[in-house]
Amino acid sequence: MILALESVFDQCSVAFVDLAGNVIAEQTLTGNRLQTQQILPMIHALMTASSIDWSQLTAIAFNRGPGAFSGIRINTAVAQAIAFAHDLPCLPVSSLQAIAQSAFERHQSPHVLALTDARMNQVYVGEYAVSDGIMQLVAGATEHLLDYDSVIDKDLALVGNGATLVNAQLGQAIFADIRPSAIIIAKLGLTLYQQHQSVPAELALPVYLRNNAWKTLAEQQKA
C-alpha cells in the first residue's frame, strides 16, 4: 500500500492506495494554511478508520515541488519522517506532472504546458504529453522558471494556476482550476514504484527551481 501526501496546492490531502491502484482511503481539506496541524492527525484518522497498519505500507509518495515553499517543506518533512521511522522508500512526485495528469483526466488534454505561480512575476512550467495513460515530460523538456510576460508560442493547452499569468495565443485552451489531490500523487507515485524509481528517505528531497527559495520574498527581491 502507498501513502500519498499533498500539501503544496493550498490544501492538505492524504490518500492510501493499494498496489493495484485502488483507493483505500482519502481525505482532502482545501483552502487553508493549517497543513502542519492537520496532516499527521489526518493520516492517523484514516489509518484508524480503515484499519490500516504501518506494516502494510510499501512506500510514501509525496509532492516534491516546485511550488509553495512551506507546502513543499511540510510534504517532504512528513514523508521523510515516516520513511525513516518505518524503513520505507519514498516516491517524489513533481507538482507540475500532477497538474498535467489532472488536466489529462479532467479535460482529456493529452499534451499540455503545466504552469503554477512562482510569485516574483514568474511561473514554474513544464511540457507534458501522455504515454500509457501517464503524463510525462516530453523529450528534451525541463521544469523551469518563466516570466509572467513571456509569450507562449506553442499551441498547447495551458493548465494550472499559472496559466492565466502568461501571454497565451488567441483561442488557446486554458484550464486554471487544477488542484491535484493526493490520489493523483499516489497514481504517479505508483508508476515510479513500478519503474523501480523509489529513493531512500535521505534522498527524498524538495525541488524549488529557485536559488535561495528559503528566503522571504522581500529578501529574494533585495538579492
Side-chain angles (χ1 to χ4, degrees), residues 3 5 150 219:
L3 164 61
L5 311 174
S150 296
E219 289 171 332

Side-chain angles (χ1 to χ4, degrees), residues 89-155:
C90 291
L91 303 164
V93 174
S94 162
S95 60
L96 294 174
Q97 185 185 21
I99 290 171
Q101 186 69 30
S102 292
F104 172 65
E105 295 187 8
R106 290 178 55 185
H107 301 291
Q108 294 75 54
S109 300
H111 192 179
V112 304
L113 284 180
L115 305 104
T116 187
D117 191 3
R119 310 296 182 181
M120 297 181 67
N121 297 314
Q122 291 182 311
V123 293
Y124 302 111
V125 59
E127 182 179 347
Y128 289 84
V130 71
S131 176
D132 295 327
I134 298 296
M135 296 293 272
Q136 305 282 4
L137 269 175
V138 300
T142 61
E143 297 180 348
H144 57 278
L145 283 164
L146 193 69
D147 293 337
Y148 280 177
D149 60 4
S150 296
V151 176
I152 302 297
D153 59 1
K154 293 188 176 183
D155 188 20

Side-chain angles (χ1 to χ4, degrees), residues 138-187:
V138 300
T142 61
E143 297 180 348
H144 57 278
L145 283 164
L146 193 69
D147 293 337
Y148 280 177
D149 60 4
S150 296
V151 176
I152 302 297
D153 59 1
K154 293 188 176 183
D155 188 20
L156 301 176
L158 306 183
V159 300
N161 68 5
T164 58
L165 300 176
V166 294
N167 297 312
Q169 299 181 71
L170 184 65
Q172 194 163 15
I174 294 177
F175 302 111
D177 60 336
I178 303 290
R179 183 184 285 171
S181 72
I183 293 176
I184 292 292
I185 301 299
K187 175 177 289 190

